[in-house]
Amino acid sequence: MATKGPVGARGPAGSSRGGNSRFAQFKLVLLGESAVGKSSLVLRFVKDQFDDYRESTIGAAFLTQTISLDDQTTVKFEIWDTAGQERYKSLAPMYYRNANCAVVVYDITQASSLDKAKQWIKELQRQANENIIIALAGNKLDLVTDQPDKRAITTADAEAYARESGLLFFETSAKTSENVRELFTAIAKKLPLDQAGPRNPRSGGRGGVELRPENTSTQGAGNTCAC
Amino acid sequence: MPLDERSTDASEHAGPTSIDTEEESDSGNHSRVDKNNNKGEKQRPPLPPRPKAGLLQSDASPNSPQSVKGLRPSLQSKPTTALSSVDIQTLSFPDGSRGTFSTPGSRLVSESVMGLSTGTSTPSGKASRAGIDMDDTTSLISYAPTLRGNGDLESLLDSGLDSPSPAWKLLSTQSEAANPFESFEYEGPSLHSFDKEFDEIEAVDTKRGNEEELLIQWKSKLKHYIILSSAGKPIYSRHGDQNLINGYIGIIQTIISFFESAKDPLLGFTAGNTRFVVVTQGPLYLFAISKLKETDAQLRAQLDALYMQILSTLTLSNLTHLFTNRPNTDLRRPLEGTETLLSSLSDTFTKGSASSLLSALECLKIRKTQRYVINNTMLKARTPNLLYGLIVAGGRLVSVARPKRHSLHPGDLQLIFNMLFEAGSVKAGGGENWIPLCLPGFNNRGYLYMYVSFISARENAENVAERPSTASSVSQEDEIAILLISAEKESFFELKEMRDDIVEQLEKNGSMDIIKKAVRVGRSSATEMVPGTPLRHFLYKSRANVQFTMPSFSPDFGSALARRKLMNLYHALHASAHAKHAHTKVIHCISTDSVSLVWTTASFEFYCIAGPNTSRAALAQGANKIIQWVKREEERLFIIGGAVF
Ligand SMILES: Nc1nc2c(ncn2[C@@H]2O[C@H](COP(=O)(O)OP(=O)(O)OP(=O)(O)O)[C@@H](O)[C@H]2O)c(=O)[nH]1
Ligand SMILES: [Mg+2]
């Protein structure tokens, strides 16, 4: 039951230079209330797929996707798509602890989902990596194109909040893929790689991707609780 | 590697187990009867009045599970003579269409006479023994059926409504090679609404006033599972939304609580052709309603599995804690998302699952040496935090790595398989998964963490992307899953590395291709196993290994309906073989639409079915040959020992 931190095992995170090209990898976490469309956004981004009916995530899913910012720059995201249901909440720190960036998602047709998003943002700002880049995504944009009265949160309100809190902001549709790529690209561009070229985006032994064991004393099967 | 370890992956209980869903609990049958009679005699209000009739009803009425069995008891031992044949005048066609004259309440012993007269068999113990002589530890007792004895009650009840029509007789004698259930009369519970069984019932819309219509739909379901708290809070119902069934929840709670408070817990009751079974587990009441003629023991095992699913989400400690603090807890919130798992589990039972019936697992058939290589690959790649490692392909186990001290509980594996292969969520996620779950058979007080990754068994993976993610059991056929379980919640990347290592090695040593090929080929049909066999389907459970094997459902049982009919028969056979006082080792059943056989020994349970005109000798010989085949292939069909560390 030894705690472990296989930090370097999967290659150092961060970036490296080969000739003129730059490559960096970052850990990204998605948070937000259940059913707002986190998994749908990720699946659109990673596999360019969408399902009208998707079952709720159990636990968390891990996916990767690489994008090129320009001819020389490649960014690889290692993505944790977390479960939004209440009982998984206590596991969330495990996923955002070492994240370089986070996408906090709400559903623009559900007012309460923005409140939940704000809670997550607060938690991230308090507990996560201090340089974490946070994007706020108002999803299901397609639902309001035909029926504007379905909208529960105005773009202006959400945008204002995002500006105040220093967040990237997009309204997205996983269904039509509107703004999905833009969202992830904007994050990639904002990541430290930009300013300084090939360099570990954050110093201090972050592996970029590992679930670090730090505050978890070992636990057997007997004493943990995921709810 | 320790392939010599005969004791098995799943047979021993691991750890501090306090839940046991294993079989052999069929005593429920009998105790239930007693209970009911008691109840009836004491004239408790909520039950239908049944002083003497109670006995008839639960013991002998065609509607009660015991008498269910679609079997024609032409050859039975005493303890099982309570079996009688089912006769429902439902014209069920093999394609699932139907025209019904269901006379659901008519099944009688006189039919066994019919069974004889259409008779392919002349019952005599000797004849049977001649047929089956492989295993001399087998005690074979068979009796010619008589109308006396247990039959008396039934002949009192029914008055010969259902003798076969001359047309039927003609039909049944016509073709030698008729397949099971091909005749117009299918002798099981009425399945005429089976095709609508899994249709969703809309939400109640008071404006439109659709409630009545929805209730009709609701009542037409063959199977219900309802879970509520002892305080009467609804937790789960397979069909119908809360508004629709709230009234019923209240009634159920009242009835159960009444008996609970009298310290005489209610186990079940019958109304018409419907059986109601109750399981109470601490603060939870689990309630099954079935028109499928399953026995109480079988229904109880199903409810236990649902309870295990709830524990798997919450752990027993959390469940207890929630209700100790607030007896009025609404469990739906903490269980959020578990509903789909409960539903897919329920539907597995309703469709009929050999694995849950037998409480055993099925393995992918590969050569012993190939499995040895795969086991070794797992062991070599093992990382320190691994508790269990499993490779599963097409819903069947390929390899298991486990610590010496711990085996895997079949009930736990059922939950895992249900989550991964029946419910859509994990599979549809498209990535690797990290899932906290409690395996109640292993330890019902804490969580484990499961790494899951799927690999497509198809040559070109493109189809996988196209597959609708919500599709369930169909697609399980081509998935290979690697499951790595740990008690350490931060070990995702460790296990991910292990997985990468395993996959790389399996690719390198050719095992991956072997697995993929075995998955694509699928199960063989009985004829492919033993050419010329009259058997159309069979189940063979190796008791020591807690594993079973069976042929493909196609060609004869390809449709969901045909499969359910087959499963009905297996359920009935299983019930008679496991009846409390059944010392019988062989039961041979003849009905108008099939003949079947159960054979149990210390080492195996064998169930098989053939077309209605198969002679008993042919059936017995067919069974023998299949069993010989299984024995020959044993080390390919079953994981014996596995990779133990
Ligand atoms: N119309 C529309 N529906 C969407 C969109 N994104 C997601 N959905 C639907 O919303 C439902 C929930 O989406 P998910 O992606 O499962 O939501 P989630 O946030 O991952 O939920 P959890 O896993 O429970 O945390 C699904 O039925 C999706 O099809 C969108 O952009 N437009
Ligand atoms: Mg999700």
Side-chain angles (χ1 to χ4, degrees), chain A residues 64-106:
Chain A
T64 60
Q65 173 68 314
T66 305
I67 57 171
S68 318
L69 289 181
D70 53 53
D71 287 352
Q72 279 106 47
T73 317
T74 310
V75 170
K76 180 179 179 188
F77 284 113
E78 300 197 307
I79 303 167
W80 276 112
D81 170 23
T82 64
Q85 286 166 355
E86 205 53 36
R87 70 194 152 86
Y88 294 110
K89 196 169 181 328
S90 65
L91 290 174
M94 185 163 91
Y95 302 108
Y96 66 64
R97 197 186 302 131
N98 301 305
N100 307 96
C101 42
V103 177
V104 180
V105 187
Y106 68 96

CSV table of all heavy atoms in Angstrom, one decimal, chain A residues 64-106:
chain,number,residue,atom,x,y,z
A,64,THR,N,-6.7,11.8,-23.8
A,64,THR,CA,-5.7,12.8,-24.2
A,64,THR,C,-6.0,13.3,-25.6
A,64,THR,O,-6.7,12.6,-26.4
A,64,THR,CB,-4.3,12.1,-24.3
A,64,THR,OG1,-4.3,11.0,-25.2
A,64,THR,CG2,-3.9,11.6,-22.9
A,65,GLN,N,-5.6,14.5,-25.9
A,65,GLN,CA,-5.7,15.1,-27.2
A,65,GLN,C,-4.6,16.0,-27.5
A,65,GLN,O,-4.2,16.8,-26.6
A,65,GLN,CB,-7.1,15.7,-27.4
A,65,GLN,CG,-7.3,16.5,-28.7
A,65,GLN,CD,-7.4,15.6,-29.9
A,65,GLN,OE1,-6.6,14.7,-30.0
A,65,GLN,NE2,-8.3,15.8,-30.7
A,66,THR,N,-4.1,16.0,-28.7
A,66,THR,CA,-3.0,16.9,-29.1
A,66,THR,C,-3.5,17.9,-30.1
A,66,THR,O,-4.2,17.5,-31.0
A,66,THR,CB,-1.8,16.0,-29.7
A,66,THR,OG1,-1.5,15.0,-28.8
A,66,THR,CG2,-0.6,16.9,-29.9
A,67,ILE,N,-3.1,19.1,-29.9
A,67,ILE,CA,-3.4,20.1,-30.9
A,67,ILE,C,-2.2,20.9,-31.3
A,67,ILE,O,-1.3,21.1,-30.5
A,67,ILE,CB,-4.5,21.1,-30.5
A,67,ILE,CG1,-4.1,21.8,-29.2
A,67,ILE,CG2,-5.9,20.4,-30.3
A,67,ILE,CD1,-5.1,22.9,-28.8
A,68,SER,N,-2.2,21.4,-32.5
A,68,SER,CA,-1.1,22.2,-33.0
A,68,SER,C,-1.5,23.6,-33.0
A,68,SER,O,-2.6,24.0,-33.5
A,68,SER,CB,-0.7,21.9,-34.4
A,68,SER,OG,-0.7,20.5,-34.6
A,69,LEU,N,-0.7,24.5,-32.3
A,69,LEU,CA,-1.1,25.9,-32.2
A,69,LEU,C,-0.6,26.6,-33.5
A,69,LEU,O,-1.3,27.5,-34.0
A,69,LEU,CB,-0.5,26.5,-31.0
A,69,LEU,CG,-1.1,26.1,-29.7
A,69,LEU,CD1,-0.4,26.8,-28.5
A,69,LEU,CD2,-2.6,26.4,-29.7
A,70,ASP,N,0.6,26.2,-33.9
A,70,ASP,CA,1.1,26.7,-35.2
A,70,ASP,C,2.0,25.6,-35.7
A,70,ASP,O,2.1,24.5,-35.2
A,70,ASP,CB,1.7,28.0,-35.0
A,70,ASP,CG,2.8,28.0,-33.9
A,70,ASP,OD1,3.7,27.1,-34.0
A,70,ASP,OD2,2.8,28.8,-33.0
A,71,ASP,N,2.7,25.9,-36.7
A,71,ASP,CA,3.6,24.9,-37.4
A,71,ASP,C,4.6,24.3,-36.4
A,71,ASP,O,4.9,23.1,-36.5
A,71,ASP,CB,4.4,25.6,-38.5
A,71,ASP,CG,3.5,25.9,-39.7
A,71,ASP,OD1,2.4,25.4,-39.6
A,71,ASP,OD2,4.0,26.5,-40.6
A,72,GLN,N,5.0,25.1,-35.4
A,72,GLN,CA,6.0,24.6,-34.6
A,72,GLN,C,5.5,24.1,-33.2
A,72,GLN,O,6.2,23.4,-32.5
A,72,GLN,CB,7.1,25.7,-34.3
A,72,GLN,CG,8.1,25.9,-35.4
A,72,GLN,CD,7.8,27.1,-36.2
A,72,GLN,OE1,7.6,28.2,-35.6
A,72,GLN,NE2,7.9,27.0,-37.5
A,73,THR,N,4.3,24.5,-32.9
A,73,THR,CA,3.9,24.3,-31.5
A,73,THR,C,2.8,23.2,-31.4
A,73,THR,O,1.8,23.4,-31.9
A,73,THR,CB,3.4,25.6,-30.8
A,73,THR,OG1,4.3,26.7,-31.2
A,73,THR,CG2,3.4,25.5,-29.3
A,74,THR,N,3.2,22.2,-30.6
A,74,THR,CA,2.2,21.2,-30.3
A,74,THR,C,1.9,21.1,-28.8
A,74,THR,O,2.8,21.1,-28.0
A,74,THR,CB,2.7,19.8,-30.8
A,74,THR,OG1,3.2,20.0,-32.1
A,74,THR,CG2,1.7,18.8,-30.8
A,75,VAL,N,0.6,21.0,-28.5
A,75,VAL,CA,0.3,20.9,-27.1
A,75,VAL,C,-0.5,19.7,-26.9
A,75,VAL,O,-1.5,19.4,-27.7
A,75,VAL,CB,-0.6,22.2,-26.7
A,75,VAL,CG1,-1.1,21.9,-25.3
A,75,VAL,CG2,0.3,23.4,-26.7
A,76,LYS,N,-0.1,18.9,-25.9
A,76,LYS,CA,-0.9,17.7,-25.6
A,76,LYS,C,-1.6,17.9,-24.3
A,76,LYS,O,-1.0,18.3,-23.3
A,76,LYS,CB,0.1,16.5,-25.5
A,76,LYS,CG,-0.7,15.2,-25.2
A,76,LYS,CD,0.3,14.1,-25.1
A,76,LYS,CE,-0.4,12.8,-24.7
A,76,LYS,NZ,0.6,11.7,-24.4
A,77,PHE,N,-2.9,17.7,-24.4
A,77,PHE,CA,-3.7,17.8,-23.2
A,77,PHE,C,-4.0,16.4,-22.6
A,77,PHE,O,-4.3,15.5,-23.3
A,77,PHE,CB,-5.1,18.4,-23.5
A,77,PHE,CG,-5.1,19.9,-23.7
A,77,PHE,CD1,-5.4,20.4,-24.9
A,77,PHE,CD2,-4.8,20.7,-22.6
A,77,PHE,CE1,-5.4,21.8,-25.1
A,77,PHE,CE2,-4.8,22.1,-22.8
A,77,PHE,CZ,-5.1,22.7,-24.0
A,78,GLU,N,-3.7,16.3,-21.3
A,78,GLU,CA,-4.2,15.1,-20.6
A,78,GLU,C,-5.4,15.5,-19.8
A,78,GLU,O,-5.3,16.3,-18.9
A,78,GLU,CB,-3.0,14.6,-19.7
A,78,GLU,CG,-1.8,14.2,-20.6
A,78,GLU,CD,-0.8,13.3,-19.9
A,78,GLU,OE1,-0.4,13.7,-18.7
A,78,GLU,OE2,-0.5,12.3,-20.4
A,79,ILE,N,-6.5,14.9,-20.2
A,79,ILE,CA,-7.8,15.4,-19.7
A,79,ILE,C,-8.4,14.5,-18.7
A,79,ILE,O,-8.6,13.3,-18.9
A,79,ILE,CB,-8.7,15.6,-20.9
A,79,ILE,CG1,-8.1,16.6,-21.9
A,79,ILE,CG2,-10.1,16.2,-20.4
A,79,ILE,CD1,-8.8,16.6,-23.2
A,80,TRP,N,-8.8,15.1,-17.5
A,80,TRP,CA,-9.6,14.3,-16.6
A,80,TRP,C,-11.1,14.8,-16.7
A,80,TRP,O,-11.4,16.0,-16.4
A,80,TRP,CB,-9.2,14.5,-15.2
A,80,TRP,CG,-8.1,13.6,-14.8
A,80,TRP,CD1,-6.8,14.0,-14.5
A,80,TRP,CD2,-8.2,12.2,-14.6
A,80,TRP,NE1,-6.1,12.8,-14.1
A,80,TRP,CE2,-6.9,11.7,-14.2
A,80,TRP,CE3,-9.2,11.3,-14.7
A,80,TRP,CZ2,-6.7,10.4,-13.9
A,80,TRP,CZ3,-9.0,9.9,-14.4
A,80,TRP,CH2,-7.7,9.5,-14.0
A,81,ASP,N,-11.9,14.0,-17.2
A,81,ASP,CA,-13.4,14.3,-17.3
A,81,ASP,C,-14.0,13.7,-16.0
A,81,ASP,O,-14.2,12.5,-15.9
A,81,ASP,CB,-14.0,13.7,-18.5
A,81,ASP,CG,-15.5,13.7,-18.6
A,81,ASP,OD1,-16.0,14.6,-17.9
A,81,ASP,OD2,-16.1,12.9,-19.3
A,82,THR,N,-14.3,14.6,-15.1
A,82,THR,CA,-14.8,14.1,-13.8
A,82,THR,C,-16.3,13.9,-13.8
A,82,THR,O,-17.0,14.4,-14.7
A,82,THR,CB,-14.4,15.1,-12.6
A,82,THR,OG1,-15.1,16.3,-12.9
A,82,THR,CG2,-13.0,15.3,-12.6
A,83,ALA,N,-16.8,13.2,-12.8
A,83,ALA,CA,-18.3,13.0,-12.7
A,83,ALA,C,-18.8,14.1,-11.9
A,83,ALA,O,-18.3,14.5,-10.9
A,83,ALA,CB,-18.5,11.6,-12.0
A,84,GLY,N,-19.9,14.6,-12.4
A,84,GLY,CA,-20.5,15.8,-11.7
A,84,GLY,C,-21.4,15.5,-10.5
A,84,GLY,O,-21.8,16.4,-9.8
A,85,GLN,N,-21.7,14.2,-10.4
A,85,GLN,CA,-22.7,13.9,-9.3
A,85,GLN,C,-22.1,14.2,-7.9
A,85,GLN,O,-20.9,13.9,-7.7
A,85,GLN,CB,-23.1,12.5,-9.5
A,85,GLN,CG,-24.1,12.3,-10.6
A,85,GLN,CD,-24.3,10.9,-11.0
A,85,GLN,OE1,-23.7,10.0,-10.5
A,85,GLN,NE2,-25.2,10.7,-11.9
A,86,GLU,N,-23.0,14.6,-7.1
A,86,GLU,CA,-22.6,15.1,-5.8
A,86,GLU,C,-21.7,14.1,-5.0
A,86,GLU,O,-20.7,14.5,-4.4
A,86,GLU,CB,-23.9,15.3,-5.0
A,86,GLU,CG,-23.8,16.2,-3.8
A,86,GLU,CD,-23.3,17.6,-4.2
A,86,GLU,OE1,-23.6,18.1,-5.3
A,86,GLU,OE2,-22.5,18.2,-3.4
A,87,ARG,N,-22.0,12.8,-5.2
A,87,ARG,CA,-21.2,11.9,-4.3
A,87,ARG,C,-19.8,11.7,-4.7
A,87,ARG,O,-19.0,11.1,-4.0
A,87,ARG,CB,-21.9,10.5,-4.2
A,87,ARG,CG,-21.9,9.7,-5.4
A,87,ARG,CD,-23.0,8.6,-5.3
A,87,ARG,NE,-23.4,8.2,-6.6
A,87,ARG,CZ,-22.8,7.3,-7.3
A,87,ARG,NH1,-21.7,6.8,-6.9
A,87,ARG,NH2,-23.3,7.0,-8.5
A,88,TYR,N,-19.4,12.2,-5.9
A,88,TYR,CA,-18.0,12.1,-6.2
A,88,TYR,C,-17.2,13.3,-5.8
A,88,TYR,O,-16.0,13.4,-6.1
A,88,TYR,CB,-17.9,11.9,-7.7
A,88,TYR,CG,-18.4,10.6,-8.2
A,88,TYR,CD1,-19.6,10.5,-9.0
A,88,TYR,CD2,-17.8,9.4,-7.9
A,88,TYR,CE1,-20.1,9.3,-9.4
A,88,TYR,CE2,-18.3,8.2,-8.4
A,88,TYR,CZ,-19.5,8.1,-9.1
A,88,TYR,OH,-20.0,6.9,-9.6
A,89,LYS,N,-17.9,14.3,-5.2
A,89,LYS,CA,-17.3,15.5,-5.0
A,89,LYS,C,-16.0,15.4,-4.2
A,89,LYS,O,-15.0,16.1,-4.5
A,89,LYS,CB,-18.2,16.4,-4.2
A,89,LYS,CG,-17.9,17.9,-4.2
A,89,LYS,CD,-18.9,18.8,-3.7
A,89,LYS,CE,-18.5,20.3,-3.8
A,89,LYS,NZ,-17.1,20.5,-3.6
A,90,SER,N,-16.0,14.5,-3.2
A,90,SER,CA,-14.8,14.4,-2.4
A,90,SER,C,-13.5,13.9,-3.2
A,90,SER,O,-12.4,14.1,-2.7
A,90,SER,CB,-15.0,13.5,-1.2
A,90,SER,OG,-15.3,12.2,-1.7
A,91,LEU,N,-13.8,13.4,-4.3
A,91,LEU,CA,-12.6,12.9,-5.1
A,91,LEU,C,-12.0,13.9,-6.0
A,91,LEU,O,-10.9,13.8,-6.5
A,91,LEU,CB,-13.0,11.7,-6.0
A,91,LEU,CG,-13.4,10.4,-5.2
A,91,LEU,CD1,-13.9,9.4,-6.2
A,91,LEU,CD2,-12.1,9.9,-4.5
A,92,ALA,N,-12.7,15.0,-6.2
A,92,ALA,CA,-12.3,16.1,-7.1
A,92,ALA,C,-10.9,16.6,-6.9
A,92,ALA,O,-10.1,16.7,-7.9
A,92,ALA,CB,-13.3,17.2,-7.2
A,93,PRO,N,-10.5,16.8,-5.7
A,93,PRO,CA,-9.1,17.4,-5.5
A,93,PRO,C,-8.0,16.5,-6.1
A,93,PRO,O,-7.0,17.0,-6.6
A,93,PRO,CB,-9.0,17.4,-3.9
A,93,PRO,CG,-10.4,17.5,-3.4
A,93,PRO,CD,-11.2,16.8,-4.4
A,94,MET,N,-8.3,15.2,-6.1
A,94,MET,CA,-7.3,14.3,-6.6
A,94,MET,C,-7.1,14.6,-8.1
A,94,MET,O,-6.0,14.4,-8.6
A,94,MET,CB,-7.9,12.9,-6.5
A,94,MET,CG,-7.1,11.8,-6.9
A,94,MET,SD,-7.7,10.2,-6.2
A,94,MET,CE,-8.8,9.7,-7.5
A,95,TYR,N,-8.1,15.1,-8.8
A,95,TYR,CA,-8.0,15.4,-10.2
A,95,TYR,C,-7.5,16.8,-10.5
A,95,TYR,O,-6.9,17.1,-11.5
A,95,TYR,CB,-9.3,15.1,-10.9
A,95,TYR,CG,-9.8,13.7,-10.7
A,95,TYR,CD1,-10.9,13.4,-9.9
A,95,TYR,CD2,-9.1,12.7,-11.3
A,95,TYR,CE1,-11.3,12.1,-9.7
A,95,TYR,CE2,-9.5,11.3,-11.1
A,95,TYR,CZ,-10.6,11.1,-10.3
A,95,TYR,OH,-11.0,9.8,-10.1
A,96,TYR,N,-7.9,17.8,-9.7
A,96,TYR,CA,-7.5,19.1,-10.0
A,96,TYR,C,-6.2,19.5,-9.3
A,96,TYR,O,-5.6,20.6,-9.6
A,96,TYR,CB,-8.6,20.2,-9.7
A,96,TYR,CG,-9.0,20.4,-8.3
A,96,TYR,CD1,-8.1,20.9,-7.3
A,96,TYR,CD2,-10.3,20.2,-7.9
A,96,TYR,CE1,-8.5,21.1,-6.0
A,96,TYR,CE2,-10.7,20.4,-6.6
A,96,TYR,CZ,-9.8,20.9,-5.7
A,96,TYR,OH,-10.2,21.1,-4.4
A,97,ARG,N,-5.7,18.7,-8.4
A,97,ARG,CA,-4.6,19.1,-7.6
A,97,ARG,C,-3.4,19.5,-8.4
A,97,ARG,O,-2.8,20.5,-8.1
A,97,ARG,CB,-4.2,17.9,-6.7
A,97,ARG,CG,-3.3,18.3,-5.5
A,97,ARG,CD,-2.8,17.1,-4.8
A,97,ARG,NE,-3.9,16.3,-4.3
A,97,ARG,CZ,-4.0,15.0,-4.4
A,97,ARG,NH1,-3.0,14.3,-5.1
A,97,ARG,NH2,-5.0,14.3,-3.9
A,98,ASN,N,-3.1,18.8,-9.4
A,98,ASN,CA,-1.9,19.2,-10.2
A,98,ASN,C,-2.2,19.7,-11.6
A,98,ASN,O,-1.4,19.8,-12.5
A,98,ASN,CB,-1.0,17.9,-10.4
A,98,ASN,CG,-0.6,17.4,-9.1
A,98,ASN,OD1,0.0,18.1,-8.3
A,98,ASN,ND2,-0.9,16.1,-8.9
A,99,ALA,N,-3.5,20.1,-11.7
A,99,ALA,CA,-3.9,20.6,-13.1
A,99,ALA,C,-3.3,21.9,-13.4
A,99,ALA,O,-3.1,22.8,-12.6
A,99,ALA,CB,-5.4,20.7,-13.1
A,100,ASN,N,-2.9,22.0,-14.7
A,100,ASN,CA,-2.4,23.3,-15.2
A,100,ASN,C,-3.6,24.1,-15.7
A,100,ASN,O,-3.5,25.4,-15.7
A,100,ASN,CB,-1.5,23.1,-16.5
A,100,ASN,CG,-0.4,22.1,-16.2
A,100,ASN,OD1,-0.5,20.9,-16.5
A,100,ASN,ND2,0.6,22.6,-15.5
A,101,CYS,N,-4.7,23.5,-16.0
A,101,CYS,CA,-5.8,24.2,-16.5
A,101,CYS,C,-7.1,23.5,-16.2
A,101,CYS,O,-7.1,22.3,-16.0
A,101,CYS,CB,-5.7,24.5,-18.0
A,101,CYS,SG,-5.1,23.1,-19.0
A,102,ALA,N,-8.2,24.3,-16.1
A,102,ALA,CA,-9.5,23.6,-15.8
A,102,ALA,C,-10.5,24.3,-16.7
A,102,ALA,O,-10.5,25.5,-17.0
A,102,ALA,CB,-9.8,23.9,-14.3
A,103,VAL,N,-11.5,23.4,-17.1
A,103,VAL,CA,-12.7,24.0,-17.8
A,103,VAL,C,-13.8,23.7,-16.8
A,103,VAL,O,-14.1,22.6,-16.5
A,103,VAL,CB,-12.9,23.3,-19.1
A,103,VAL,CG1,-14.2,23.8,-19.8
A,103,VAL,CG2,-11.7,23.4,-20.0
A,104,VAL,N,-14.5,24.8,-16.4
A,104,VAL,CA,-15.6,24.6,-15.5
A,104,VAL,C,-16.9,24.9,-16.4
A,104,VAL,O,-17.0,25.9,-17.0
A,104,VAL,CB,-15.6,25.6,-14.4
A,104,VAL,CG1,-16.8,25.4,-13.5
A,104,VAL,CG2,-14.3,25.4,-13.6
A,105,VAL,N,-17.7,23.9,-16.4
A,105,VAL,CA,-18.8,24.0,-17.4
A,105,VAL,C,-20.2,24.2,-16.7
A,105,VAL,O,-20.4,23.7,-15.6
A,105,VAL,CB,-18.9,22.6,-18.2
A,105,VAL,CG1,-19.9,22.7,-19.3
A,105,VAL,CG2,-17.5,22.2,-18.7
A,106,TYR,N,-21.0,25.0,-17.3
A,106,TYR,CA,-22.4,25.1,-16.9
A,106,TYR,C,-23.3,25.0,-18.1
A,106,TYR,O,-22.8,25.0,-19.2
A,106,TYR,CB,-22.7,26.4,-16.1
A,106,TYR,CG,-22.6,27.6,-16.9
A,106,TYR,CD1,-23.7,28.2,-17.4
A,106,TYR,CD2,-21.4,28.3,-17.2
A,106,TYR,CE1,-23.7,29.4,-18.2
A,106,TYR,CE2,-21.3,29.4,-17.9
A,106,TYR,CZ,-22.4,30.0,-18.5
A,106,TYR,OH,-22.4,31.1,-19.2
